[in-house]
Amino acid sequence: MKPSRDISALLAIMTALRTPVTGCPWDIDQDFASVAPYTIEEAYEVADAIERGDMVDLREELGDLLLQVVFHAQMAEEDGLFDFGGVVEAITTKLIRRHPHVFGKARDLTPYQVKVLWDSIKAEEKQEKAAAHAAAGKPERPARFLDGIAMQMPALVRAEKLTSKAAKVGFDWPTTQEVLAKIREELQEVEVELSCGNKDRIEDEIGDLLFAVSNLARHAKIDPEHALRRTNAKFERRFGAVEADLLHQGRNLNEATLEEMDALWNEAKRKERL
């Protein structure tokens, strides 16, 4: 089988990989649950390539992410649930339906009107999905306002989305200063629990602190996940500079004192700011 730009070739490859006896034992052994972590990982690698501005990697990572969609669709087809064509049909139907200002009669809408229309259409879709689940013998629990925010999202992202949605009905700190006060309060509670030594309580309070910080990012119109990724990259870069300086001296990290590493860290920080 030769490489191809045709999606049908990728579908055929996936079918071959999942074919009993002649296929790949690892691919055959997978199910939706076992593949899901790889799907999430590939999405992160796409985001990483974009962050680095590496279009060569982005092309490859988008292919890896597409493979995840094809993998799930292949398993669904084997179970008689749906196929890749059904996935394409579902998203094209959704896009056409959610953009009547492009594909329908609703024209010349302001960005605000587009958002109002989008929210209205999503609400209708949610009702239709609930009816479809009920018809399939899988009735859903009564809808709640915070439904629809995926549990598998990174916790920091999900915290921002939960508070952002709650803010739409007025459940929010009115000012940034009040959020800062809440962060100070949560930090004090962390200090109290650290002195007591109860791990569960410490975990709860650190969680509350992180949640409050995500609220601060939202008030400041900052993506908390992106902010933390930037800090992670900064830490990695500066720590790498510390290690490189030590290697230049003929030493490794284990041979340096904390004070020496801290001094090299501050030097790396100073150089970045020049």
Side-chain angles (χ1 to χ4, degrees):
M1 184 175 288
K2 295 181 179 180
S4 172
R5 298 175 67 92
D6 190 340
I7 188 66
S8 62
L10 178 57
L11 297 174
I13 290 171
M14 192 70 251
T15 299
L17 291 173
R18 290 277 296 180
T19 300
V21 182
T22 60
C24 170
W26 186 90
D27 289 287
I28 294 169
D29 195 45
Q30 303 311 305
D31 57 24
F32 293 112
S34 66
V35 174
Y38 297 102
T39 307
I40 295 170
E41 180 181 337
E42 295 300 349
Y44 277 124
E45 292 183 359
V46 167
D48 179 65
I50 293 171
E51 183 99 4
R52 292 183 285 107
D54 191 329
M55 295 300 105
V56 174
D57 273 5
L58 179 59
R59 176 176 179 264
E60 181 177 345
E61 297 302 344
L62 286 171
D64 291 345
L65 183 58
L66 176 59
L67 174 62
Q68 297 300 307
V69 177
V70 170
F71 206 145
H72 286 288
Q74 174 65 31
M75 292 186 291
E77 184 174 5
E78 292 167 3
D79 292 344
L81 302 172
F82 56 84
D83 60 8
F84 183 78
V87 174
V88 175
E89 182 182 27
I91 188 58
T92 54
T93 298
K94 182 185 292 184
L95 287 172
I96 292 169
R97 179 174 183 173
R98 291 187 180 182
H99 294 83
H101 52 296
V102 177
F103 305 108
K105 296 180 179 180
R107 297 286 176 172
D108 301 322
L109 301 182
T110 66
Y112 175 76
Q113 289 173 322
V114 169
K115 186 178 185 309
V116 171
L117 183 61
W118 178 280
D119 289 340
S120 174
I121 293 170
K122 284 180 68 177
E124 291 175 7
E125 290 174 350
K126 187 178 291 187
Q127 292 176 350
E128 290 175 4
K129 186 180 289 186
H133 283 156
K138 297 180 179 179
E140 298 179 337
R141 61 168 173 73
R144 297 174 182 172
F145 185 74
L146 293 178
D147 285 351
I149 303 175
M151 290 291 294
Q152 293 302 321
M153 282 183 180
L156 198 58
V157 174
R158 193 163 189 270
E160 190 277 334
K161 289 187 177 295
L162 285 169
T163 58
S164 181
K165 193 167 186 179
K168 291 181 179 180
V169 292
F171 194 76
D172 192 15
W173 298 107
T175 69
T176 302
Q177 290 303 314
E178 289 173 279
V179 182
L180 286 168
K182 183 62 176 176
I183 290 173
R184 295 185 190 101
E185 175 189 326
E186 296 296 352
L187 185 56
Q188 289 175 350
E189 292 178 3
V190 169
E191 290 176 340
V192 169
E193 294 305 332
L194 283 170
S195 67
C196 295
N198 185 309
K199 187 173 180 179
D200 284 342
R201 296 289 296 273
I202 293 170
E203 184 175 14
D204 282 345
E205 295 303 340
I206 289 178
D208 290 347
L209 176 61
L210 292 170
F211 194 84
V213 170
S214 77
N215 245 323
L216 176 63
R218 179 175 57 81
H219 271 256
K221 295 181 171 48
I222 296 295
D223 178 349
E225 185 71 18
H226 185 261
L228 185 55
R229 283 203 305 271
R230 284 186 61 179
T231 296
N232 287 342
K234 182 166 56 180
F235 178 88
E236 188 175 15
R237 186 171 62 248
R238 290 177 181 173
F239 194 81
V242 170
E243 184 176 18
D245 283 343
L246 287 170
L247 288 173
H248 185 70
Q249 298 172 20
R251 298 190 294 162
N252 60 41
L253 292 166
N254 292 324
E255 295 171 332
T257 66
L258 175 58
E259 290 74 17
E260 289 173 322
M261 287 190 287
D262 194 45
L264 291 173
W265 173 278
N266 289 329
E267 177 62 15
K269 182 177 178 179
R270 185 189 66 79
K271 288 179 178 177
E272 283 189 358
R273 293 180 173 178
L274 290 178

